[in-house]
Amino acid sequence: MVAQETRRVLYMGPEDAAAVFAATPPLEALRFMLSLAMTEQAEDRLVEFVLAFLDISRAHLHSPRRREAFVKACKEDVDCPEGHCLKLLKAMYGLCDAGAAFDKKVEVSSEAMGFKVGLFSPCLCYNPVTKVRFFRHGDDFVVLGSRAAVKNYAEELGKYLIVKVRGVLG
């Protein structure tokens, strides 16, 4: 189910327009991660560094809504009386601020797992303890670290979101 948000009256001022945009990483982030994957060496030379590619399923549906939003029930929903609507508890695909809500969810989850969110871009994160780095573009993550640390990161992230490991290089 997807919402289709239409606005007859603009609910935000021009200065708040950034609230509906999701951050995107710089192109150099991928190049930097590939370079680090080839040159980074652990203190223990037997530890191998890997790049993992993660995908988040139903990304926006995990994110707390940032404002009140209501949707019409679909015709298949027989429990909703005629003329009533549903109040969303989570963000939904199709809302103007769904991407920004997911960004906030990832930021809060990452900080809870000990990551420092980038000052230049909130799509770049680093954990000074585990030495794991990641960047994300929407619901796609590229993670760099030791094989064990990356596996642990995917499992930890799985406590907050539905994670699919799409591939591991290394």
Side-chain angles (χ1 to χ4, degrees):
M1 193 158 97
V2 176
Q4 179 181 359
E5 186 167 18
T6 56
R7 293 175 282 160
R8 292 190 179 137
V9 177
L10 191 61
Y11 63 86
M12 67 177 87
E15 69 280 354
D16 296 329
V20 300
F21 292 102
T24 56
L27 176 61
E28 292 81 18
L30 179 59
R31 297 168 98 181
F32 179 66
M33 294 287 268
L34 291 171
S35 176
L36 281 177
M38 298 304 294
T39 59
E40 188 84 357
Q41 292 191 7
E43 293 165 9
D44 179 1
R45 295 210 180 252
L46 297 176
V47 174
E48 62 179 334
F49 276 80
V50 297
L51 272 174
F53 301 90
L54 311 179
D55 182 53
I56 306 301
S57 297
R58 297 186 292 279
H60 297 316
L61 302 176
H62 296 287
S63 311
R65 61 183 166 71
R66 297 167 58 109
R67 60 189 167 85
E68 279 194 336
F70 299 88
V71 294
K72 251 195 253 185
C74 57
K75 60 186 172 206
E76 293 84 10
D77 187 354
V78 294
D79 294 333
C80 188
E82 184 73 30
H84 285 77
C85 60
L86 306 171
K87 182 177 180 180
L88 296 178
L89 300 177
K90 299 282 184 177
M92 186 178 207
Y93 289 99
L95 294 180
C96 284
D97 58 350
F102 180 68
D103 276 359
K104 189 65 176 172
K105 171 72 175 179
V106 171
E107 188 177 322
V108 169
S109 302
S110 297
E111 287 175 348
M113 295 186 320
F115 281 83
K116 303 291 183 201
V117 177
L119 298 176
F120 172 71
S121 170
C123 298
L124 309 172
C125 297
Y126 174 70
N127 188 318
V129 176
T130 63
K131 308 291 189 230
V132 170
R133 297 171 170 89
F134 77 84
F135 83 89
R136 63 184 177 78
H137 185 266
D139 64 353
D140 297 312
F141 289 60
V142 177
V143 186
L144 174 68
S146 69
R147 186 175 295 277
V150 167
K151 183 176 187 257
N152 185 51
Y153 170 72
E155 290 170 358
E156 282 292 311
L157 188 60
K159 295 177 182 176
Y160 300 95
L161 303 164
I162 299 172
V163 178
K164 291 181 188 173
V165 178
R166 293 294 185 186
V168 178
L169 291 175

